[in-house]
Amino acid sequence: QLNLVESGGGLVQPGGSLRLSCAASGSISWFNMGWYRQAPGKQRELVAEITTGRSTNYADSVKGRFTISRDNAKRTVYLQMNGLRPEDTAVYLCNAVLGLSSAAWGRGTQVTVSS
């Protein structure tokens, strides 16, 4: 079973940057990977995803500000977040997808954007 652990969250001022990491317990080479976020009282939403072929897709709200990447050798997926806004405040979760099925979720890391 694949386990995912997120890190890198924290408190940052508007306009600031954070880099989130998602470390896997095993190989991620065959998984499409994604970052989701969930704010209090809101539904979980897809932030960014990256396929095994390194194609990427982003939510409109983060295009041009966030970048997803993967390092299969390190079994890690990253989310570089620049130009952070208060509305980016949420718990960010990592997800691994095999085929059409979700294979694993992390527990999340809190990102708070506030002055």
Side-chain angles (χ1 to χ4, degrees):
Q1 181 177 349
L2 189 70
N3 293 313
L4 304 174
V5 179
E6 302 92 338
S7 61
L11 173 64
V12 63
Q13 291 187 341
S17 298
L18 284 174
R19 188 194 195 200
L20 305 184
S21 298
C22 169
S25 60
S27 175
I28 60 170
S29 298
W30 301 282
F31 295 88
N32 295 327
M33 303 295 295
W35 283 98
Y36 287 72
R37 66 186 180 188
Q38 188 160 20
K42 294 187 177 181
Q43 288 190 334
R44 186 173 296 184
E45 62 173 352
L46 175 68
V47 176
E49 57 187 349
I50 184 167
T51 68
T52 55
R54 301 182 188 273
S55 295
T56 58
N57 180 50
Y58 297 92
D60 288 342
S61 59
V62 307
K63 281 181 181 176
R65 300 188 297 125
F66 291 10
T67 303
I68 188 171
S69 61
R70 64 190 295 159
D71 187 332
N72 290 342
K74 293 184 178 180
R75 301 183 297 189
T76 302
V77 179
Y78 304 98
L79 185 67
Q80 178 66 44
M81 307 187 294
N82 299 327
L84 283 162
R85 305 167 180 169
E87 54 264 39
D88 294 319
T89 295
V91 174
Y92 284 70
L93 305 106
C94 184
N95 175 239
V97 175
L98 187 63
L100 297 178
S101 300
S102 177
W105 285 95
R107 292 189 175 185
T109 184
Q110 176 70 46
V111 171
T112 302
V113 185
S114 175
S115 55

